[in-house]
Amino acid sequence: MTSDVLLFLGLTVLLVAPVFVGSLQIASFLRSSPAEQHPVYKEVLAWFREVLVLWFVGALWPIQMLRSTWSRHQGKGETIPVILVPGYLESETLMHRLRNALKQSGRPYATYKYQPLLGPGETQTLRLLSFVREMKASFAADRIDMIGHSFGGLLIRRLLTHCDLHEVGKVVLLAVPHKGSQIAVLAPGQAGRDLQPDSGFIRSLAAEPEVHPTLDLRASCDAMIHPRESAHLNESSERLRGAWGHNSMLIAQETIQRVTTFLT
């Protein structure tokens, strides 16, 4: 019976993911300005990469969610530790390449795990702040750098209004829906409602984290942020050159290089 259920769920993911992502890709393209639209071949390549990533991440998602804590690495020397914050309903699998890059450079890191999974943004922010301070003490660090993907980036921006200025150093924001996303009406839980444009949580965010060195990097063909302009924080925001989507951008070598260079 269990094997039949798992087979059914597996086939469902395999069949639904291409249609689901494709529908969102088309809607995102149509809702965005010409400056955020790309040639069809580039949109199709981004769609294909996004589907492959969702298949892989979806297969590992239940296993990751059963773990009480996520990856930590002590690093070496006196380098500044990094806190990684995944996005809405994400496991830490998506940040595998970023973690490897940090490990290779000797940087200590720890990955935040959402509890509760669909809890309100403000609740998650306060838990994240506690986690940051716990990790600072664990790593014996004066401050930490932070990397946030999607909803995780919003939590970091909100955290900056709660923490002391010296607690956080550099901030990396990856595919963050700074102005919310119209498709968040489909997302369950209070966290999903917090992702909607004009939600109380979106309005509560600081205008921009000006006091912290910030890399705001968005995907070139994002199917999850509607319209794509919502991923634009300010005039310093950057966009990937290659054909990458909301989740697949985290495995792009271009992303890894830009993030590691910025954090150096």
Side-chain angles (χ1 to χ4, degrees):
M1 179 66 178
T2 302
S3 60
D4 291 340
V5 172
L6 291 175
L7 179 61
F8 172 77
L9 291 175
L11 289 174
T12 300
V13 171
L14 285 173
L15 295 173
V16 170
V19 177
F20 177 70
V21 176
S23 299
L24 294 181
Q25 190 87 24
I26 293 171
S28 174
F29 179 87
L30 295 176
R31 286 173 170 170
S32 301
S33 67
E36 296 292 338
Q37 296 173 345
H38 300 280
V40 172
Y41 79 89
K42 195 170 183 177
E43 297 282 348
V44 171
L45 179 56
W47 164 81
F48 180 70
R49 286 170 166 169
E50 195 76 357
V51 170
L52 290 180
V53 166
L54 287 179
W55 278 342
F56 177 74
V57 172
L60 296 177
W61 191 85
I63 299 172
Q64 294 283 19
M65 289 301 164
L66 289 174
R67 297 170 56 196
S68 58
T69 59
W70 284 345
S71 299
R72 298 181 187 182
H73 176 64
Q74 281 301 122
K76 56 186 178 182
E78 298 181 353
T79 53
I80 300 172
V82 180
I83 302 296
L84 300 106
V85 189
Y88 173 79
L89 285 179
E90 286 178 16
S91 71
E92 68 168 355
T93 307
L94 270 175
M95 291 185 156
H96 175 73
R97 290 204 66 192
L98 280 169
R99 294 199 310 274
N100 275 353
L102 292 172
K103 185 179 293 186
Q104 290 171 8
S105 65
R107 294 290 293 268
Y109 67 77
T111 310
Y112 174 73
K113 187 176 189 292
Y114 287 77
Q115 291 178 354
L117 181 61
L118 300 176
E122 191 65 23
T123 300
Q124 298 289 356
T125 299
L126 296 177
R127 286 198 69 257
L128 177 59
L129 179 59
S130 297
F131 182 76
V132 165
R133 288 172 174 168
E134 177 188 340
M135 291 302 101
K136 276 181 58 188
S138 176
F139 292 125
D142 294 327
R143 68 181 187 278
I144 52 93
D145 293 338
M146 303 193 73
I147 301 175
H149 176 240
S150 194
F151 189 46
L154 295 181
L155 296 185
I156 291 174
R157 289 185 58 201
R158 182 60 177 155
L159 176 141
L160 295 177
T161 67
H162 287 288
C163 69
D164 295 331
L165 182 62
H166 68 274
E167 291 186 277
V168 177
K170 295 181 178 180
V171 173
V172 176
L173 305 173
L174 303 173
V176 176
H178 297 292
K179 302 176 182 66
S181 177
Q182 294 172 7
I183 67 164
V185 295
L186 304 174
Q190 182 57 51
R193 291 188 286 276
D194 285 342
L195 278 165
Q196 296 178 24
D198 298 323
S199 71
F201 185 70
I202 292 293
R203 292 196 302 270
S204 73
L205 297 175
E208 54 185 59
E210 292 178 340
V211 294
H212 300 275
T214 301
L215 171 64
D216 181 47
L217 185 62
R218 64 191 190 278
S220 52
C221 304
D222 200 311
M224 303 297 175
I225 300 179
H226 296 209
R228 293 174 182 175
E229 291 87 343
S230 292
H232 187 275
L233 177 62
N234 54 36
E235 294 306 315
S236 299
S237 297
E238 301 177 33
R239 184 175 65 190
L240 291 181
R241 293 183 293 274
W244 298 98
H246 186 78
N247 297 298
S248 60
M249 73 172 291
L250 292 183
I251 68 169
Q253 186 60 30
E254 184 182 353
T255 301
I256 307 303
Q257 289 177 343
R258 291 205 193 186
V259 171
T260 52
T261 298
F262 176 76
L263 291 178
T264 301

